[in-house]
Amino acid sequence: FPITITTYIEKNLDLNELLVQKPAATFFVQAQGESMLGAGIHPNDILVVDRSIEPTDGKVVIAALNGELTVKRLSKTAEGIWYLKAENPQFPDILLNDGLELIIWGVVTNVIHNL
């Protein structure tokens, strides 16, 4: 006998409940470009971003770099030098130095994309 999907549904799923921990600090942004393919972020994906999470080493962040938005992994070398890491070898990492204006808007917590 065929089994329908409703056999397995116990309750309605609410994406806000699943993906948003702090609604007042959360926003959505659409990704562009291919610099984060290795992190599973593709062009036109929807990124869930939480401004309340501390941007620490290894977190994927939305950052304004000299006024231009970018999505990269925040990383630190063994020597303590911070940089924004691309997750695609075709794109260079960005060393953070005194000459750059950097504002981190938030930490990416989830990615939504089409199949």
Side-chain angles (χ1 to χ4, degrees):
F1 295 97
I3 298 174
T4 63
I5 192 71
T6 55
T7 305
Y8 296 101
I9 296 178
E10 294 180 19
K11 70 173 190 167
N12 291 331
L13 294 177
D14 181 347
L15 289 180
N16 286 310
E17 213 176 277
L18 292 171
L19 303 177
V20 177
Q21 301 300 313
K22 296 185 179 170
T26 301
F27 65 95
F28 299 87
V29 66
Q30 189 170 26
Q32 297 178 354
E34 298 183 344
S35 69
M36 294 300 286
L37 289 175
I41 299 173
H42 302 89
N44 300 316
D45 283 356
I46 302 298
L47 307 179
V48 181
V49 183
D50 189 331
R51 293 178 61 86
S52 71
I53 297 174
E54 183 180 350
T56 58
D57 184 27
K59 299 281 188 188
V60 174
V61 298
I62 302 288
L65 189 61
N66 290 337
E68 203 170 312
L69 286 181
T70 189
V71 180
K72 299 286 184 284
R73 187 172 305 278
L74 184 62
S75 298
K76 187 162 82 168
T77 66
E79 296 80 25
I81 300 169
W82 288 94
Y83 64 102
L84 295 175
K85 179 176 178 39
E87 295 286 344
N88 181 338
Q90 295 180 15
F91 293 84
D93 297 335
I94 303 166
L95 286 176
L96 301 177
N97 59 47
D98 292 336
L100 296 175
E101 180 186 338
L102 174 72
I103 299 171
I104 296 180
W105 283 22
V107 174
V108 176
T109 59
N110 292 281
V111 179
I112 304 168
H113 63 259
N114 294 328
L115 295 177

